[in-house]
Structures are given as structure tokens and as C-alpha cells.
Amino acid sequence: MRDVKTKTILQKPINILALLLLLCACDGTRFHSFSSLDGVWERDSAVTYSYANRYSPSEFCGLQIEARTDASYCYKNLVVCADFFNLNDSLLASDTLIVPVYGDDGRRIGATAGMLYQQKSNVVPQSISFRDSVTIRLYHLMPDTALKGVYDVGVRLVKLD
């Protein structure tokens, strides 16, 4: 009898977690990936992501940049250039996105689960369709050659309504 109660209590959090994961998956995200930078992002170093077509040709995407930073990051924002290339390595589109790291009050923006904070840019519409296979290259546009305090950078492609 005691084992039955334990099993029932343990199943409820798992069911709630599964429901939350399903709800998060329904936000229009078509591609989401992070790359580790180990705390320093060199200006000449591109972070590259490959997206292979998987969706309807009528759906165009929006781009969002995400970053995980620690307290050694010294700028209010992180400015990132995103270049989209086709399979022939021809430039399809280029955009500049701003990831806010500190608010006007000097406090860090974003969620944390320890020492790193996760921030994100606004979603910026792109002229890229989800039917396209593209390579996305990210470069930072900050004054420092070696940008300290950035541990991960990611991209999210979302469906535009």
C-alpha cells in the first residue's frame, strides 16, 4: 500500500513537467540551438548554425539571438551581426540584433540558474523561408577584440504570424 502512494505522488510532477514541455514546444519555434564560447567571444570568430529545410514554403521566419553571460560582461547590450548563407555560400540576408544585458537601473536582465544569466533579443523578421536550407553565422560587433563574459550564444527561428 505504501508503494502505491509513493508512485502516485511521483507521477504528478512528471505529468506537470511533460505538460509544460509540450506548451513550450508550441510557441512557433522551428529551430533553436546554442553554442558554447567558454567565456570569451573573439571578434573574428563566427558562431555557425546549420538549418535544414523542414517546413512549409509559405512560412517565413523571425530571428532571435540569445546569450548567457556572467558578471564579467561589462556592456549594457550585446550587439550581434547575423548573416544567412545558402548552400552555395552566397549571402541571403544580414541583420544586426541587440541583446539587452543590463537595464537602465544597472540590474541584470534575464533569468538565472546560478552564475550565468540568459538574455534574448526581440524577434526580428527575416526574408528567409523555412523551406530554405541556410547557414547562420553570428559575429559580435562590440569594441573588444576578445569579448569577456559571454559563455553561450544561440539562435531561435520562429514562425511569424
Side-chain angles (χ1 to χ4, degrees), residues 72-112:
S72 68
Y73 186 78
C74 61
Y75 296 101
K76 181 178 178 184
N77 299 310
L78 172 61
V79 182
V80 177
C81 175
D83 292 336
F84 288 81
F85 294 88
N86 65 12
L87 294 176
N88 298 327
D89 211 31
S90 296
L91 183 64
L92 298 173
S94 186
D95 214 331
T96 302
L97 291 94
I98 297 173
V99 179
V101 178
Y102 291 96
D104 291 335
D105 59 1
R107 292 183 183 227
R108 295 186 61 89
I109 295 173
T112 184

Side-chain angles (χ1 to χ4, degrees), residues 19 40 43 53 57 64 67-68 86 93 105 107 111 120 158 160:
L19 178 63
V40 178
R43 178 176 293 145
N53 61 336
Q64 184 175 54
R68 293 184 185 121
N86 65 12
D105 59 1
R107 292 183 183 227
K120 59 187 175 183
V158 296
L160 297 176

Side-chain angles (χ1 to χ4, degrees), residues 1-147:
M1 191 66 104
R2 186 175 183 162
D3 290 334
V4 172
K5 287 183 181 179
T6 303
K7 185 177 178 183
T8 304
I9 291 171
L10 290 177
Q11 283 179 340
K12 287 182 182 177
I14 292 171
N15 291 338
I16 292 170
L17 180 61
L19 178 63
L20 288 174
L21 288 173
L22 284 173
L23 288 174
C24 290
C26 298
D27 68 351
T29 298
R30 300 295 193 243
F31 177 78
H32 189 213
S33 183
F34 270 90
S35 292
S36 177
L37 298 170
D38 296 325
V40 178
W41 191 359
E42 299 290 337
R43 178 176 293 145
D44 305 1
S45 178
V47 181
T48 304
Y49 304 90
S50 295
Y51 170 78
N53 61 336
R54 296 184 189 137
Y55 293 94
S56 165
S58 63
E59 292 181 356
F60 284 87
C61 70
L63 173 69
Q64 184 175 54
I65 304 297
E66 297 178 302
R68 293 184 185 121
T69 61
D70 72 2
S72 68
Y73 186 78
C74 61
Y75 296 101
K76 181 178 178 184
N77 299 310
L78 172 61
V79 182
V80 177
C81 175
D83 292 336
F84 288 81
F85 294 88
N86 65 12
L87 294 176
N88 298 327
D89 211 31
S90 296
L91 183 64
L92 298 173
S94 186
D95 214 331
T96 302
L97 291 94
I98 297 173
V99 179
V101 178
Y102 291 96
D104 291 335
D105 59 1
R107 292 183 183 227
R108 295 186 61 89
I109 295 173
T112 184
M115 294 184 58
L116 297 179
Y117 280 79
Q118 184 166 326
Q119 301 91 8
K120 59 187 175 183
S121 70
N122 291 328
V123 175
V124 176
Q126 299 298 312
S127 59
I128 306 299
S129 168
F130 286 114
R131 72 175 177 191
D132 296 330
S133 291
V134 295
T135 299
I136 305 165
R137 294 184 191 142
L138 303 181
Y139 304 87
H140 80 77
L141 299 176
M142 303 304 292
D144 296 350
T145 303
L147 188 60

